[in-house]
Amino acid sequence: PQLYVTEDQGASWHFYGEIYSDPSHRIAASYPQILFLPDGRWLCVLGCWYQAAGARLRWTAVTYSDDQGLTWSPPRKIHMWSVSPFPILLRDGRIVLLYMRRGPDPTGLYAMISEDHGTTWSKPVCLRDDTLSAGPQGSIDGGYPVAVQMADNRIFAAYYWQHDDP
């Protein structure tokens, strides 16, 4: 994940900084989502995985920047088996993190909450778990959640989901 900036409403973009790169090339990271915290700190949530052939281990990590994105802390793993994490900074300062768990079971759409700007996180809460188990050789497909906090403080989330209708 890298950070680019524009100063002309998107007509051109310039490299600003690298959020994360594993020098050993063993770990890949994607799905960067940046939150601008009230204290000026930038928090970036990453989806990470091992690049080795056949490796299916995935996790969510967080990294921070205290200099407006020029440098970033080493990513810190906050949860296993998560795919395409998406954070929402609520008006009350809490962070809600949505993600998909594609395997191993239990698969589904999950959420975690941080009340201290991403330092600690709640246990995962399953929001939806009605995918059909694909077994050890298959995979459950779903993910890429995005969400907003609505005027009445409810959270609206959109994502894609694999589901076989009977």
Side-chain angles (χ1 to χ4, degrees), residues 10-150:
S12 63
W13 292 87
H14 306 284
F15 178 75
Y16 187 75
E18 189 164 64
I19 297 171
Y20 173 70
S21 177
D22 177 22
S24 70
H25 303 289
R26 293 180 316 116
I27 297 171
S30 192
Y31 316 113
Q33 300 288 337
I34 297 174
L35 293 180
F36 304 104
L37 302 178
D39 63 1
R41 177 174 264 193
W42 293 12
L43 170 113
C44 183
V45 176
L46 299 169
C48 300
W49 64 93
Y50 288 112
Q51 296 195 77
R56 296 179 56 153
L57 182 61
R58 292 179 174 261
W59 64 92
T60 295
V62 295
T63 179
Y64 297 95
S65 176
D66 290 317
D67 56 11
Q68 298 180 328
L70 291 174
T71 60
W72 294 85
S73 66
R76 180 176 54 88
K77 188 182 302 182
I78 62 169
H79 193 266
M80 297 295 297
W81 306 113
S82 47
V83 177
S84 55
F86 187 86
I88 312 155
L89 180 60
L90 301 180
R91 285 186 281 279
D92 67 7
R94 292 178 297 162
I95 299 170
V96 174
L97 179 70
L98 298 174
Y99 65 91
M100 178 62 72
R101 181 179 170 130
R102 293 182 185 159
D105 285 339
T107 59
L109 181 67
Y110 285 80
M112 293 170 43
I113 298 172
S114 175
E115 296 184 2
D116 56 10
H117 296 144
T119 302
T120 61
W121 294 88
S122 70
K123 291 184 179 183
V125 175
C126 184
L127 303 176
R128 183 173 181 183
D129 67 352
D130 60 338
T131 55
L132 299 175
S133 178
Q137 300 302 320
S139 67
I140 299 299
D141 200 11
Y144 304 107
V146 293
V148 296
Q149 185 177 21
M150 298 177 5

